[in-house]
Amino acid sequence: MQKVLDSNIRICCIGAGYVGGPSMVVIADKCPEILVNVVDINPDRIKNWNDEEYKEIPIFEPNLLPLLKRTRGKNLFFSTDVHQEISLADIIFICVNTPTKQIGVGAGRASNLQWLELCAREIATHAKGNTIVVEKSTVPVKTAEVIKDILITETINNISKEKKYFSVLSNPEFLSEGNAIKDLQDPDRILIGGDNINAIDKLSSIYEHWVPKDKIIKTNLWSSELSKLTANAFLAQRISSINSISALCEITGADIKEVSKAIGGDKRIGNKFISSGPGFGGSCFKKDLLNLTYLCEYYGLSEVALYWNQVLEINNWQQKRISKVVIEKLFRNISGKKIAIFGFAFKADTNDTRESPSINICMDLINEGAVLKIHDPKVKEIEIQKAFEDFLENNKELKNNKKLIDLRKVWNYYDSIYDASKNVDAILILTEWSNYKTISWEEIYKVMRKPAWVFDTRLVTNPDEVKKNGIKLWVLGQG
Ligand code: UDX
Ligand code: UDX
């Protein structure tokens, strides 16, 4: 039973995913007088968010659970009552997924706004009175215009006596998974784009519960939307830049860790986002770069499009070159060989596998005939299988490879890194989980087939520790 709280603001968030869930948990925690209702069309997701034992919470994020326990059932509720919550809300956050289009105009590049459009239509139909609609999903520039158009058409066509008024704001999320709660509690900045100052102030008043006013940046709608794409493009560019240098380090004898430290000491460059790795993953970087290049081409800026596209090209190249190194070191033949994969999430401290470099790298190895033994502390077996199946669905030529027809025969899931290492020729570390930093290599070496290789793409191992146990080691950016 929901309480009536001492506030004139009632929030509805559509989408109980990696963005909507943590964002609303933090708002509910920081604003106890505001009623926050998170809705989702997926009943299983909602059931899991409401799990009494807190064992099935659908996303793993450090520090999420204590906040959820403090707020759920008090001023935070999860349900599938999309229409009802829309009709009661003063502010509606749209946090639905906007994946890259698979078919039609802009396929493989533009975002699929189908879900977002659907939300706008639901809001147009069911909202009452004054409603602020906040676009939080990452979207191409000018998406707010689509939402506005749908809402305005409803306002004009509405034949009922009750008038509806909508204000559309852009309030992009900058949380990084694995660090989401901290990012939300102590953001570098909050960005609110729009043209209705009252609506902007109302949304701002929520964040002002815990964010200093000077960190709340107010812009027009399009600046806000473009800033989100640009921020992610800049971050991704840093990773591709350092990854391109990692290959040069391996050839020249320089050490990428030392180079990162040396350049990061320059305040103008800074020491964040210059860790070399197997390439960036996650739901945003690739999609946002694709959106940006699509937008530039659409407006005739082909040089700009080419520039940003190169960031993606380097990312693909980095992933490909890792599987090539593994094959090369294992005597140019991995057919029938067992390889352990340590880490499937796209980064540590999340169970998210979207665009994880592990997917492409594993598929390359499987395609070459390897049998994989996969370990990840948080990603479930079913999620890995789904990621492989989705990959094959989008890669028609691989789909016909006989070895891949029965996927379950070419990989297995292990709860223990020790069991995953038994009889393997190599271990490939792809995610920087902290427990990979403290592996007892002596024990692992004993159960591996010799010569035993470790490929560390996240620079988490202590090279002396690994090598002293007889293991051959290849480290990204060191060779
Ligand atoms: C977010 C952003 O919103 C997206 O723009 C960004 O690029 C990726 O991150 P995220 O929270 O990570 O999305 O996605 P996801 O975990 O898939 O959650 C989206 C939720 O929206 C799902 O639970 C889905 O069931 C729900 N949904 C989708 C609705 O409730 N209604 C819809 O119409 C569509
Ligand atoms: C990103 C942005 O950081 C966030 O602001 C935005 O709103 C959503 O997209 P996220 O994708 O969750 O967040 O994680 P992030 O920490 O940015 O990492 C993205 C990818 O880059 C990961 O695969 C990570 O391993 C990789 N990465 C990051 C590196 O390879 N090196 C680095 O130095 C940093």
Side-chain angles (χ1 to χ4, degrees):
M1 189 60 189
Q2 292 185 7
K3 281 191 209 160
V4 179
L5 298 166
D6 181 23
S7 157
N8 54 1
I9 300 180
R10 183 174 177 128
I11 289 176
C12 167
C13 169
I14 310 179
Y18 284 89
V19 169
S23 302
M24 294 305 123
V25 169
V26 170
I27 290 183
D29 191 51
K30 295 290 184 186
C31 314
E33 82 287 7
I34 293 178
L35 190 57
V36 182
N37 287 285
V38 184
V39 294
D40 202 293
I41 50 170
N42 180 343
D44 290 336
R45 247 205 176 166
I46 291 300
K47 189 168 148 253
N48 289 342
W49 276 108
N50 283 325
D51 176 34
E52 282 192 17
E53 307 275 305
Y54 293 92
K55 284 190 182 134
E56 300 296 330
I57 301 305
I59 65 171
F60 169 74
E61 243 336 305
N63 303 321
L64 173 71
L65 278 190
L67 269 64
L68 186 63
K69 287 180 183 169
R70 274 212 294 265
T71 50
R72 202 184 67 187
K74 295 196 179 85
N75 63 329
L76 175 68
F77 297 87
F78 293 87
S79 79
T80 49
D81 300 334
V82 181
H83 297 173
Q84 164 163 300
E85 291 309 332
I86 288 176
S87 73
L88 294 171
D90 305 293
I91 303 182
I92 301 174
F93 286 90
I94 303 183
C95 295
V96 297
N97 37 337
T98 50
T100 304
K101 275 180 95 168
Q102 297 300 338
I103 48 167
V105 179
R109 311 192 36 204
S111 272
N112 182 348
L113 297 179
Q114 171 191 3
W115 303 119
L116 198 116
E117 194 184 317
L118 188 78
C119 283
R121 290 186 191 283
E122 301 269 30
I123 295 169
T125 311
H126 298 285
K128 293 196 175 121
N130 279 317
T131 311
I132 299 173
V133 178
V134 184
E135 164 192 87
K136 217 173 220 329
S137 297
T138 306
V139 288
V141 178
K142 299 260 169 185
T143 301
E145 206 155 74
V146 176
I147 302 178
K148 265 184 169 177
D149 279 353
I150 294 170
L151 298 178
I152 287 167
T153 313
E154 171 65 18
T155 319
I156 295 165
N157 293 344
N158 181 20
I159 40 164
S160 71
K161 278 193 197 122
E162 199 194 346
K163 282 277 162 237
K164 301 183 182 197
Y165 302 97
F166 295 103
S167 312
V168 178
L169 302 178
S170 158
N171 173 220
E173 193 45 78
F174 294 106
L175 65 85
S176 116
E177 287 176 31
N179 212 33
I181 299 300
K182 207 172 153 288
D183 287 343
L184 287 160
Q185 288 176 328
D186 184 19
D188 286 348
R189 78 308 201 185
I190 296 288
L191 184 54
I192 304 178
D195 47 23
N196 178 335
I197 193 66
N198 292 331
I200 293 175
D201 286 347
K202 193 158 184 177
L203 180 58
S204 179
S205 75
I206 293 177
Y207 289 112
E208 283 165 30
H209 280 70
W210 76 98
V211 181
K213 266 188 173 173
D214 60 358
K215 282 193 175 179
I216 302 177
I217 303 171
K218 298 171 183 174
T219 67
N220 75 33
L221 265 179
W222 328 130
S223 300
S224 171
E225 288 181 335
L226 185 59
S227 300
K228 167 74 190 208
L229 290 191
T230 310
N232 277 347
F234 268 57
L235 292 170
Q237 180 209 43
R238 284 171 71 92
I239 300 167
S240 280
S241 298
I242 200 72
N243 283 343
S244 71
I245 301 298
S246 71
L248 197 56
C249 284
E250 289 156 25
I251 299 165
T252 57
D255 177 336
I256 196 66
K257 236 182 184 166
E258 293 177 352
V259 173
S260 288
K261 195 169 176 205
I263 64 165
D266 184 329
K267 282 202 195 74
R268 294 168 301 176
I269 297 174
N271 60 11
K272 304 262 168 60
F273 267 76
I274 47 170
S275 298
S276 194
F280 55 77
S283 67
C284 282
F285 284 178
K286 181 175 167 194
K287 188 184 70 176
D288 289 355
L289 281 163
L290 287 170
N291 266 328
L292 192 60
T293 54
Y294 186 68
L295 188 76
C296 293
E297 264 173 25
Y298 180 82
Y299 287 111
L301 301 170
S302 53
E303 286 78 5
V304 186
L306 269 177
Y307 173 76
W308 288 109
N309 192 50
Q310 199 54 28
V311 175
L312 272 175
E313 291 294 324
I314 289 286
N315 200 50
N316 295 335
W317 167 82
Q318 180 80 342
Q319 298 180 15
K320 280 271 170 226
R321 96 183 175 81
I322 287 170
S323 41
K324 277 192 193 144
V325 168
V326 174
I327 296 164
E328 181 70 32
K329 298 283 186 198
L330 298 185
F331 310 118
R332 293 189 204 93
N333 166 37
I334 57 169
S335 189
K337 288 185 179 165
K338 294 194 177 81
I339 299 177
I341 302 293
F342 284 5
F344 201 82
F346 79 97
K347 60 184 282 195
D349 293 326
T350 178
N351 59 347
D352 194 349
T353 64
R354 286 177 290 181
E355 299 296 340
S356 175
S358 302
I359 302 172
N360 290 336
I361 296 170
C362 286
M363 273 298 162
D364 276 351
L365 298 175
I366 290 175
N367 195 35
E368 284 286 329
V371 175
L372 304 184
K373 300 178 80 178
I374 305 181
H375 172 271
D376 188 285
K378 290 291 170 194
V379 179
K380 292 184 177 155
E381 184 172 1
I382 188 173
E383 293 295 331
I384 299 176
Q385 177 68 11
K386 191 172 169 302
F388 286 153
E389 282 168 6
D390 288 350
F391 177 96
L392 288 182
E393 201 45 51
N394 298 321
N395 286 272
K396 300 282 183 248
E397 66 283 16
L398 276 188
K399 208 177 167 187
N400 298 326
N401 180 339
K402 284 203 185 84
K403 285 177 216 143
L404 301 176
I405 289 177
D406 190 356
L407 255 177
R408 286 320 320 238
K409 288 197 176 137
V410 288
W411 80 277
N412 279 301
Y413 182 80
Y414 290 85
D415 283 329
S416 121
I417 51 175
Y418 184 78
D419 290 339
S421 309
K422 278 186 189 157
N423 300 322
V424 298
D425 289 86
I427 293 170
L428 174 56
I429 303 175
L430 291 176
T431 313
E432 71 282 23
W433 286 103
S434 61
N435 51 335
Y436 299 153
K437 296 178 185 166
T438 53
I439 292 174
S440 161
W441 290 108
E442 198 182 344
E443 294 305 306
I444 297 289
Y445 180 66
K446 282 184 201 152
V447 296
M448 291 175 77
R449 200 163 88 132
K450 316 296 179 310
W453 273 94
V454 167
F455 298 91
D456 178 2
T457 70
R458 292 286 189 172
L459 296 87
V460 291
T461 54
N462 175 340
D464 295 337
E465 253 325 286
V466 181
K467 285 190 207 155
K468 89 170 183 219
N469 287 296
I471 296 175
K472 291 175 182 289
L473 175 69
W474 178 88
V475 181
L476 185 99
Q478 294 174 356

